[in-house]
Amino acid sequence: MNRIITRYLAGEMLKSSAATVLILFCILMSNALGRLLADIADGEIPRQALWPVMLSQSVNMLALLLPIGVFLGIIFALGRMYKDHEIVVMNACGIGYREFYLPVALILAPIFLFSVYSSLWLNAQMQRSAQSIIQQQEDLNEFQQIRPGQFNQSSDGEYVFFMESLSADKLALQGVIIGNSAGETMVLETAGSGRQRIDEKTGDLFLVVGPGQRFEGEAGKNNFKLIEFDQHGILIENKQPAVNKQLSSEEKTLTQLRASPLIEDRVELHWRLAVPVVLLVLGILAVPLSYITPRQGRFGKVAYALLVYIAYLNLLAITRARLESESFPMALNFWWVHALFLGLALLLLLRRNRSFVLRRKMVRT
């Protein structure tokens, strides 16, 4: 009988938790996608990095949503059972909180393992991969990013150029049109063909076109000049020397964080360890917090649960800020917050068990 009840409780909790995580994940990822598309439209992120960045953000967001999703899922499932008097029947059969924690442990075990792996290793790895793709796209020169058959703008916004076709190696161009405006003077060049060349010493990118024609003049005036040339070189991109980007604390591996003397890296290490612990503490707290009286609705404790989660998250954020400013002892780090809410869970358990025992004694007498 206990196995049947355990499977039933675990199934209800798992379904409720999965639905909660999925809904929150879809909402937050939709907002993240909108912000990311806006950054791509503004040119802050290359369009080729859309899916790698989305994947990186999804892993990070999923790791943060698992605690609140499981927490609310357990409260939703047990709250419905309290409302339908299923828990009352179970209590009458001698099933109490000790038996309720077995299905909680069954669903928390695999989720906790994934949370540990995601927080300690996977999230940093995905962020490094996304940043690597962004860096690679930023290091590409102009002609590795342009498309033939449409107008393209140089990275500095000085030139607008068009080509009918581009060779497979993106070195040779056909049917070239180049526009440039310096003050009131407008320059338009046309050429049958062109070829890109990179200076071996400086890395600067030149476009050599010709034979062709060059038109110079001011709009609205008839003082245009026509110059015919056999070959003409244009500086398209002034390549800056490459600078090795330092990894942020979120992108560093676990080994790098442990070996780093920087305070932000040490705080990041403790933060990664704290995220899976939050999942365990909220799982323990959800069982006594889900209790509702017969006159309360099935969602009677959701508001309290959200307040508890917000308080938990804010205390963690405040502690992280204090640790980074070195105004809080590193030895305590986030453990005092976990201990505080674990104590709250134990207090609620003792209160519920005492009232349950008192009721049973009154019934016997």
Side-chain angles (χ1 to χ4, degrees):
M1 182 65 70
N2 286 340
R3 292 184 179 179
I4 297 176
I5 294 177
T6 299
R7 288 198 300 268
Y8 171 68
L9 290 173
E12 292 297 316
M13 293 177 186
L14 185 59
K15 288 188 293 185
S16 183
S17 300
T20 305
V21 171
L22 182 60
I23 293 172
L24 294 176
F25 181 79
C26 291
I27 294 174
L28 295 180
M29 285 307 298
S30 299
N31 294 335
L33 178 60
R35 292 192 300 268
L36 186 57
L37 291 176
D39 292 338
I40 292 176
D42 294 338
E44 298 180 6
I45 298 178
R47 62 177 179 273
Q48 293 84 352
L50 171 62
W51 293 115
V53 174
M54 280 292 294
L55 184 59
S56 172
Q57 292 190 3
S58 65
V59 172
N60 183 34
M61 200 165 294
L62 183 61
L64 295 176
L65 285 178
L66 282 177
I68 180 63
V70 173
F71 182 50
L72 292 179
I74 295 174
I75 290 178
F76 287 149
L78 294 181
R80 182 194 64 79
M81 294 180 187
Y82 274 112
K83 184 63 177 176
D84 296 340
H85 305 291
E86 295 180 24
I87 301 293
V88 176
V89 176
M90 293 181 189
N91 290 337
C93 296
I95 298 175
Y97 282 123
R98 183 177 59 183
E99 288 76 17
F100 291 161
Y101 276 114
L102 181 56
V104 171
L106 290 177
I107 66 171
L108 278 184
I111 298 175
F112 175 74
L113 293 177
F114 173 77
S115 180
V116 170
Y117 173 67
S118 174
S119 179
L120 296 183
W121 293 285
L122 182 60
N123 187 28
Q125 180 182 352
M126 297 304 300
Q127 291 203 34
R128 289 196 304 272
S129 299
Q131 289 299 323
S132 175
I133 293 176
I134 293 175
Q135 189 65 36
Q136 289 175 5
Q137 294 299 323
E138 289 177 350
D139 290 341
L140 295 177
N141 61 49
E142 297 284 346
F143 292 99
Q144 290 174 302
Q145 303 182 61
I146 63 174
R147 294 183 178 181
Q150 67 182 40
F151 288 93
N152 300 269
Q153 190 175 30
S154 61
S155 58
D156 57 6
E158 185 176 355
Y159 292 97
V160 176
F161 43 91
F162 174 91
M163 70 285 301
E164 293 181 0
S165 61
L166 189 63
S167 62
D169 58 3
K170 295 191 176 183
L171 295 177
L173 299 78
Q174 300 294 328
V176 183
I177 301 175
I178 303 173
N180 179 27
S181 59
E184 297 181 355
T185 303
M186 299 181 62
V187 178
L188 182 66
E189 297 186 19
T190 60
S193 62
R195 191 170 184 84
Q196 65 154 311
R197 292 181 183 176
I198 298 177
D199 190 285
E200 296 180 356
K201 294 182 179 180
T202 63
D204 294 341
L205 175 65
F206 290 87
L207 175 60
V208 180
V209 296
Q213 296 179 326
R214 178 183 176 95
F215 301 89
E216 294 183 8
E218 298 181 16
K221 297 183 180 180
N222 58 358
N223 59 347
F224 276 80
K225 299 180 182 178
L226 173 60
I227 303 173
E228 295 185 355
F229 56 86
D230 291 330
Q231 195 175 67
H232 177 46
I234 304 171
L235 176 63
I236 297 296
E237 182 180 4
N238 188 3
K239 197 69 175 179
Q240 300 295 328
V243 179
N244 293 328
K245 181 180 177 295
Q246 296 292 330
L247 293 176
S248 64
S249 298
E250 291 78 10
E251 298 170 1
K252 291 183 179 179
T253 64
L254 195 62
T255 304
Q256 291 173 327
L257 292 177
R258 293 176 60 184
S260 175
L262 300 177
I263 184 65
E264 55 267 23
D265 290 344
R266 295 170 59 193
V267 173
E268 174 66 20
L269 176 61
H270 289 293
W271 175 261
R272 293 188 190 181
L273 295 173
V275 172
V277 179
V278 172
L279 176 65
L280 292 180
V281 175
L282 289 179
I284 296 173
L285 182 59
V287 176
L289 193 61
S290 62
Y291 169 76
I292 59 174
T293 60
R295 293 184 178 181
Q296 285 182 309
R298 58 182 297 184
F299 302 111
K301 289 297 180 67
V302 174
Y304 294 106
L306 290 176
L307 289 176
V308 168
Y309 178 75
I310 292 172
Y312 202 158
L313 203 63
N314 284 339
L315 285 176
L316 290 174
I318 293 171
T319 303
R320 180 166 186 170
R322 298 291 298 273
L323 288 172
E324 290 176 347
S325 63
E326 301 186 56
S327 58
F328 195 79
M330 187 63 68
L332 290 178
N333 55 77
F334 301 102
W335 292 112
W336 76 273
V337 184
H338 303 318
L340 177 64
F341 285 88
L342 187 60
L344 176 62
L346 295 177
L347 182 63
L348 291 175
L349 283 172
L350 291 174
R351 180 181 177 185
R352 287 290 304 132
N353 280 332
R354 185 176 62 180
S355 61
F356 178 70
V357 171
L358 289 176
R359 284 200 306 268
R360 294 192 65 179
K361 287 183 177 180
M362 291 176 62
V363 170
R364 289 177 181 178
T365 57

